[in-house]
Amino acid sequence: MKASPQEIASGLDVERIRADFPILRQQAHGHPLVYLDNAATSQKPKAVIDAIVRYYERDNANIHRGVHYLSQQATEEFEAARKAVQLFLHAARPSEIIFLRGATEAINLVAQTYGRVHVGAGDEVLITAMEHHSNIVPWQMLCDEKGAKLRVAPINDHGELILEEFERLLGPRTKIVAIGHVSNALGTINPIAKIIKMAHAKNVPVLVDGAQAVPHVAVNVQELDCDFYVFSSHKLYGPTGVGILYGKQALLEAMPPYQGGGDMISSVTFEKTTYNKVPHKFEAGTPDMSGAVGLRAAIEYLNKLGMENIAAHEHELLEYATQKVSAIPGVRIVGTAKEKAGVLSFVIEGVHPHDIGTILDQEGIAIRTGHHCAQPVMERFGIDATARASFALYNTKEEVDALLRGIKKVEEVFA
Amino acid sequence: MADLRDLYQEVILEHSKAPRNYRELKAADHKAEGFNPLCGDRFTVFLEMDGDSIKDIGFQGSGCAISKASASMMTQSLKGKTRKEAEELFNRFHGVVTGQSAENGDEPALGKLAVFSGVSEFPTRVKCATLAWHTLTAALEGTQEAISTE
């Protein structure tokens, strides 16, 4: 497959990049695999897989406690990963980076620590109508426990947040705002810098769910001035089982611990335990050390390619796919915000998304069908489900063309 | 390799586009709701019983072609059947769509429902084919809560 001139213009040599991802070399149902389910999880470059193997072959030991050589090695590797994440998010300090199991756990941590301290009866938590279930349910649980209210800022027919409504809902009882940077179901990029300013003007802290954003756009948490930012490694070409919570140092220090255990303490007696400093206070137990090392390798891989180049390439793919798909009669795109990243959700008249998914699968094309863990979004658009193609740095225009042929096939079967 | 035409047989496509007995039964004495949270399929099955026999049956809801056609053809095959016969038919149907029993000749009792045998080549679609049947079971048992495939 030759890279088209446009791809070279975007600065990415996609043909070479594809060779870095061993999983993409295979066939599915007798066709070359076309992987367009990247918003669910991305594939891993060999550099990430190799880093994990190298960690286990060379560096593995438990961190932060052993006096021996290997423990020192493993600790250095783990802390180097923290540093890599700090630089990736442009955080001020490595201690503001907490290693967790996923973005979901990171949101739960903030809800259960910061949230339980600051949200009381009659208070409000403000989210938006386009959140993933993982940025709804933890807040719902908190509100149920505290007798607080979950307020939901509405979106328009394009899938864009209605900013005036959002600002109106920011009230004297709002204790925290939790908002997705990029919508997983619609692809909408929220204007979070503006949103954070609005919230801060009323002294309300903001948690940004960046799970769908970090693979597509460069993030600078200091410029954004967000209070918390979370993401998952596995959507960023890194291994599963690792998630990141960024929090401003002063906020993290004031928060109570989340889980108790080893590594999160300074001293323990049966009468009293003194907690460790951040970030360790929030990292009870042995963390996913090889996963952290893998995430660092993923970040280094992305840095080499350049986030700007990746964003440009994916933007071009999305534009191309949007233009082609919307031209097919009977197909409707769900989520038509001006600012979008990575995601093309669509429905075909008279065909359930599940049937679309099965027919595309037979052509070797992997997409996601269903409600995308965003049932309220489906309800907002009056549908049960969508078919979702989501793009990554290794996807090509030829793959978009395969998707278009697949959609034609769907229409043939259901003609 | 599985063939799409084995799954999307003409009869199935036809039923999905024009489902039979697609109506609420005003005289229903049993009903149940079935839900597949994975794909959002949701059906309600209505039954009017005459003693131990199914006097009338209808369904409503939304779902993929397989689940809708399956519900439609289920209602056709169950009118006049007893509870026990309905249960037996579901067992046979289940065996065929999961590929646990052969469909050729061995299951003559399945009748038109044999068109669903192609589902066994598509494991992710078994739940679509059986959703209406699970909902029927719940309706017969008089289960109040919505049943779920998960």
Side-chain angles (χ1 to χ4, degrees):
Chain A
M1 200 179 299
K2 262 260 176 283
S4 64
Q6 287 93 330
E7 277 157 5
I8 288 162
S10 78
L12 288 193
D13 184 348
V14 178
E15 198 177 355
R16 261 188 67 189
I17 286 172
R18 290 183 69 82
D20 295 338
F21 291 78
I23 205 168
L24 298 178
R25 286 172 211 154
Q26 66 189 302
Q27 303 236 317
H29 301 301
H31 297 275
L33 172 68
V34 174
Y35 187 78
L36 298 178
D37 194 17
N38 296 288
T41 195
S42 57
Q43 300 302 347
K44 321 305 172 198
K46 186 132 194 320
V48 167
I49 300 165
D50 287 348
I52 295 168
V53 170
R54 199 167 52 240
Y55 173 81
Y56 280 123
E57 288 185 347
R58 197 189 65 189
D59 302 316
N60 180 56
N62 212 330
I63 55 169
H64 296 149
R65 50 204 98 182
V67 293
H68 57 78
Y69 168 75
L70 270 187
S71 175
Q72 188 63 32
Q73 284 286 110
T75 303
E76 278 171 21
E77 286 290 319
F78 189 74
E79 292 306 324
R82 195 190 306 278
K83 184 82 190 162
V85 175
Q86 177 212 339
L87 297 176
F88 181 68
L89 292 180
H90 300 93
R93 306 170 187 82
S95 56
E96 294 177 321
I97 304 298
I98 320 254
F99 277 100
L100 299 164
R101 282 188 303 137
T104 297
E105 188 177 38
I107 297 171
N108 276 279
L109 186 153
V110 176
Q112 290 299 313
T113 57
Y114 183 88
R116 285 177 87 173
V117 171
H118 292 92
V119 178
D123 286 339
E124 294 173 3
V125 173
L126 180 55
I127 63 171
T128 81
M130 71 176 96
E131 298 311 313
H132 186 280
H133 293 166
S134 60
N135 204 23
I136 302 173
V137 184
W139 303 111
Q140 228 161 20
M141 288 164 65
L142 174 70
C143 289
D144 280 350
E145 182 192 320
K146 295 291 186 175
K149 239 198 219 129
L150 188 67
R151 305 300 296 263
V152 183
I155 56 178
N156 65 21
D157 290 342
H158 294 289
E160 293 163 325
L161 184 66
I162 305 170
L163 280 175
E164 307 78 62
E165 288 293 313
F166 174 83
E167 195 165 29
R168 201 179 54 77
L169 284 166
L170 264 175
R173 301 303 300 260
T174 312
K175 295 298 173 192
I176 187 163
V177 166
I179 182 166
H181 192 166
V182 172
S183 155
N184 75 308
L186 302 168
T188 311
I189 304 177
N190 277 317
I192 52 166
K194 209 183 239 178
I195 286 162
I196 291 164
K197 269 204 191 85
M198 283 179 179
H200 284 181
K202 300 192 175 173
N203 288 319
V204 180
V206 179
L207 174 142
V208 180
D209 171 5
Q212 293 295 339
V214 287
H216 308 297
V217 294
V219 174
N220 186 323
V221 290
Q222 290 188 87
E223 259 176 40
L224 288 171
D225 196 28
C226 60
D227 302 279
F228 301 103
Y229 196 98
V230 312
F231 74 89
S232 281
S233 153
H234 74 94
K235 291 192 203 289
L236 190 73
Y237 309 97
T240 54
V242 175
I244 296 298
L245 166 64
Y246 157 80
K248 284 181 181 166
Q249 180 91 8
L251 287 171
L252 293 175
E253 277 171 358
M255 279 152 57
Y258 178 50
Q259 292 179 333
D263 217 28
M264 56 78 72
I265 49 87
S266 294
S267 74
V268 175
T269 67
F270 286 117
E271 287 71 40
K272 187 173 168 51
T273 290
T274 314
Y275 302 125
N276 205 337
K277 293 184 300 207
V278 294
H280 311 295
K281 181 171 77 174
F282 295 107
E283 293 178 349
T286 300
D288 187 345
M289 301 170 297
S290 68
V293 168
L295 172 58
R296 176 188 172 193
I299 288 172
E300 284 170 353
Y301 182 82
L302 294 173
N303 285 344
K304 232 186 287 167
L305 297 179
M307 287 309 292
E308 309 295 317
N309 294 328
I310 293 167
H313 170 68
E314 290 173 346
H315 184 71
E316 202 179 291
L317 275 184
L318 184 61
E319 291 276 289
Y320 179 67
T322 302
Q323 187 201 337
K324 292 283 183 182
V325 168
S326 56
I328 305 174
V331 179
R332 179 165 67 98
I333 292 174
V334 180
T336 48
K338 270 190 216 86
E339 298 292 326
K340 277 183 72 174
V343 167
L344 186 74
S345 253
F346 61 95
V347 290
I348 302 179
E349 203 183 311
V351 188
H352 192 280
H354 210 164
D355 296 312
I356 301 172
T358 293
I359 295 168
L360 293 182
D361 177 51
Q362 290 300 302
E363 302 293 308
I365 304 163
I367 60 154
R368 171 91 184 262
T369 66
H371 53 59
H372 318 296
C373 294
Q375 285 178 10
V377 174
M378 301 296 113
E379 205 175 308
R380 168 64 179 75
F381 287 93
I383 48 185
D384 294 322
T386 73
R388 180 187 70 184
S390 51
F391 304 103
L393 56 88
Y394 40 64
N395 289 127
T396 64
K397 280 189 175 170
E398 286 80 358
E399 289 181 307
V400 174
D401 291 336
L403 172 69
L404 299 169
R405 286 194 299 274
I407 293 174
K408 293 247 162 66
K409 176 109 195 216
V410 172
E411 294 192 323
E412 274 164 37
V413 171
F414 278 83
Chain B
M1 201 176 80
D3 189 339
L4 273 177
R5 284 290 166 196
D6 290 342
L7 181 65
Y8 294 109
Q9 303 219 14
E10 280 307 323
V11 183
I12 291 179
L13 289 172
E14 197 267 317
H15 271 266
S16 76
K17 286 172 193 160
R20 317 298 199 276
N21 302 304
Y22 190 79
R23 62 200 157 88
E24 185 180 347
L25 295 191
K26 294 288 176 225
D29 40 31
H30 287 65
K31 72 167 188 178
E33 198 183 37
F35 182 46
N36 181 345
L38 264 169
C39 48
D41 292 0
R42 189 185 285 277
F43 290 104
T44 307
V45 171
F46 304 92
L47 290 172
E48 186 189 349
M49 300 298 288
D50 178 10
D52 201 42
S53 298
I54 298 171
K55 186 178 166 197
D56 202 2
I57 177 167
F59 82 102
Q60 279 189 323
S62 63
C64 64
I66 305 301
S67 62
K68 208 170 214 176
S70 174
S72 170
M73 294 182 72
M74 176 188 82
T75 60
Q76 277 194 320
S77 62
L78 287 180
K79 258 185 220 177
K81 295 272 196 307
T82 63
R83 271 170 194 269
K84 194 157 181 297
E85 285 167 341
E87 265 168 42
E88 280 170 9
L89 198 55
F90 182 22
N91 281 337
R92 288 209 183 86
F93 181 79
H94 197 268
V96 165
V97 296
T98 53
Q100 283 160 2
S101 55
E103 67 276 19
N104 298 329
D106 297 324
E107 293 288 352
L110 213 48
K112 285 182 184 166
L113 296 177
V115 295
F116 287 97
S117 61
V119 173
S120 64
E121 297 291 321
F122 296 82
T124 58
R125 306 308 297 275
V126 169
K127 282 177 182 169
C128 310
T130 55
L131 176 60
W133 289 88
H134 283 295
T135 313
L136 168 83
T137 307
L140 282 170
E141 285 167 358
T143 312
Q144 291 299 313
E145 279 190 21
I147 67 122
S148 167
T149 56
E150 294 307 302

